[in-house]
Amino acid sequence: MDRITRLKIVNGVSGIKSANLIGTRAGDQTTNLAVFNSVVHIGSNPPLLGFIARPQTKEVGHTLQNIKETGEYTINHIHPEFTKQAHYTSAKFERNTSEFERCGLTEEYLGECKAPFVKESRLKMAMRFMEAIPIELNGTTLVIGEIVNLILPDGAMADGDLDLEKVNGVGISGLNSYYELKKIAYYPYAEVTEVPEF
Amino acid sequence: MDRITRLKIVNGVSGIKSANLIGTRAGDQTTNLAVFNSVVHIGSNPPLLGFIARPQTKEVGHTLQNIKETGEYTINHIHPEFTKQAHYTSAKFERNTSEFERCGLTEEYLGECKAPFVKESRLKMAMRFMEAIPIELNGTTLVIGEIVNLILPDGAMADGDLDLEKVNGVGISGLNSYYELKKIAYYPYAEVTEVPEF
């Protein structure tokens, strides 16, 4: 199998991936925005989210570099009406180009967070950097942060879970394909004594 | 905010999560199957996937325990017709109860892998355990494995990406809600010189 086909298949087989934009600010104040499909829940108490940062090079890695410099970042959900803008933040722009401006998304500042939020996003979080754990196997990094502020739209919860159909969430397969979400089932917390007969 | 509401919200805000069943075998040959919503792409060369294992207790953690004992496991996509069976594998059964039997899913053996696959799943992988990285912040573990065998259905690829609508993939929000996927957009690899004007 050639390198590109292998890369595309392996990027898809984990299943659907979350679709988020991570906003940061460099020490020199330039803002940065990048699409990430690897944001993952680490724990609820304290409220921790992680994401996988690729091996750092001169061209790639402004997000992690900024997070380490400033200690803060934002995570912003992507919605169907701006998947195209979000996708093109993945181009390797120079560090002094702001993806907000180049890709047609709007900076927003909320609370005490100095990192930029995405105004177009309806579900977003201010994050405090906690730890960068190196993954020696391939030079990537698991970046973990704590949620310090959460902006949720009205009516976002259903059955006690965040309803990703109602808030118009999207998912990503591989690196290039975007999906809408349609809720099909809800099941309660699975107690051993309440498991149905199958 | 009470503990349960906080837990449910924090479990949802990362966005849509992958829906997989992880199959393992204990040293004493008992099979184990558990739903995981944290499988994440780590890298393509070598082909690595990770998942987050919760803090290990007597009741919780059979999957990681088995993986460490035997060095192998399977990752199996969940499809809409068996989300209910998949969900109830999360009940805290005794270690000597096989979730396959109790939850109505079928063990399957493919190639040299001694861990059980899920017959009902159309996209599945044999995994070789590579590394368990402790996350000191909350006692969870990032478990990384290499894909050693991949079973893909015919016609699974579209635009060079795995088409998760065609293969009837599902996603999870929070811990209890399941979603179907509808492809809405595909964009090419984002070259700086080919970024549209926004």
Side-chain angles (χ1 to χ4, degrees), chain A residues 3 5-20 37-49 52 75 77 80 82-85 87-94 101-104 123 125 130-131 133-138 140 142 144 146-147 150 152 157-166 170-192 194-198, chain B residues 3 5-20 37-49 52 75 77 80 82-85 87-94 101-104 123 125 130-131 133-138 140 142 144 146-147 150 152 157-166 170-192 194-198:
Chain A
R3 197 181 68 86
T5 306
R6 176 196 181 98
L7 182 143
K8 287 186 167 177
I9 291 179
V10 176
N11 263 287
V13 291
S14 61
I16 193 71
K17 303 194 266 199
S18 54
N20 289 288
N37 60 25
S38 61
V39 173
V40 62
H41 174 81
I42 301 285
S44 296
N45 194 12
L48 301 175
L49 300 181
I52 307 293
I75 298 180
H77 279 215
F82 61 92
T83 54
K84 189 171 184 179
Q85 288 87 335
H87 181 75
Y88 279 97
T89 63
S90 61
K92 293 179 180 124
F93 298 108
E94 300 282 332
E101 198 173 317
R102 187 61 189 84
C103 297
L123 199 163
M125 293 155 273
M130 299 298 285
E131 193 176 2
I133 301 178
I135 299 173
E136 312 281 354
L137 284 166
N138 69 347
T140 55
L142 172 62
I144 301 179
E146 182 168 356
I147 303 172
L150 169 63
L152 267 186
M157 304 297 287
D159 300 327
D161 275 335
L162 182 62
D163 189 323
L164 290 174
E165 181 177 353
K166 265 197 201 163
V170 305
I172 297 177
S173 171
L175 297 170
N176 303 310
S177 300
Y178 292 75
Y179 292 76
E180 273 184 353
L181 310 172
K182 185 173 173 296
K183 188 166 168 181
I184 54 167
Y186 164 85
Y187 308 109
Y189 176 82
E191 294 284 3
V192 172
E194 289 163 15
V195 175
E197 293 301 321
F198 286 107
Chain B
R3 197 182 69 88
T5 307
R6 175 196 182 99
L7 181 143
K8 288 187 166 177
I9 291 178
V10 176
N11 263 288
V13 292
S14 60
I16 193 71
K17 303 194 265 198
S18 54
N20 289 288
N37 61 25
S38 62
V39 173
V40 63
H41 175 82
I42 302 285
S44 296
N45 194 11
L48 301 176
L49 301 182
I52 306 293
I75 298 181
H77 279 216
F82 60 92
T83 54
K84 188 171 184 180
Q85 288 88 333
H87 181 74
Y88 279 98
T89 63
S90 62
K92 292 180 181 122
F93 298 108
E94 300 284 333
E101 198 172 319
R102 187 61 189 85
C103 297
L123 199 163
M125 292 156 274
M130 298 299 286
E131 193 176 0
I133 301 178
I135 299 173
E136 311 281 352
L137 284 165
N138 69 347
T140 55
L142 172 62
I144 302 179
E146 181 168 355
I147 303 172
L150 169 63
L152 267 186
M157 304 296 288
D159 300 328
D161 275 336
L162 182 62
D163 189 323
L164 290 174
E165 182 178 351
K166 265 196 203 164
V170 306
I172 297 177
S173 171
L175 296 170
N176 302 311
S177 300
Y178 292 75
Y179 292 78
E180 273 184 352
L181 311 171
K182 185 172 173 295
K183 188 166 168 180
I184 54 167
Y186 164 84
Y187 308 109
Y189 176 83
E191 295 282 3
V192 171
E194 289 163 13
V195 176
E197 293 302 320
F198 285 107

Side-chain angles (χ1 to χ4, degrees), chain B residues 103-116:
Chain B
C103 297
L105 293 163
T106 313
E107 293 182 24
E108 181 181 43
Y109 293 90
L110 299 169
E112 293 175 4
C113 183
K114 292 193 180 61

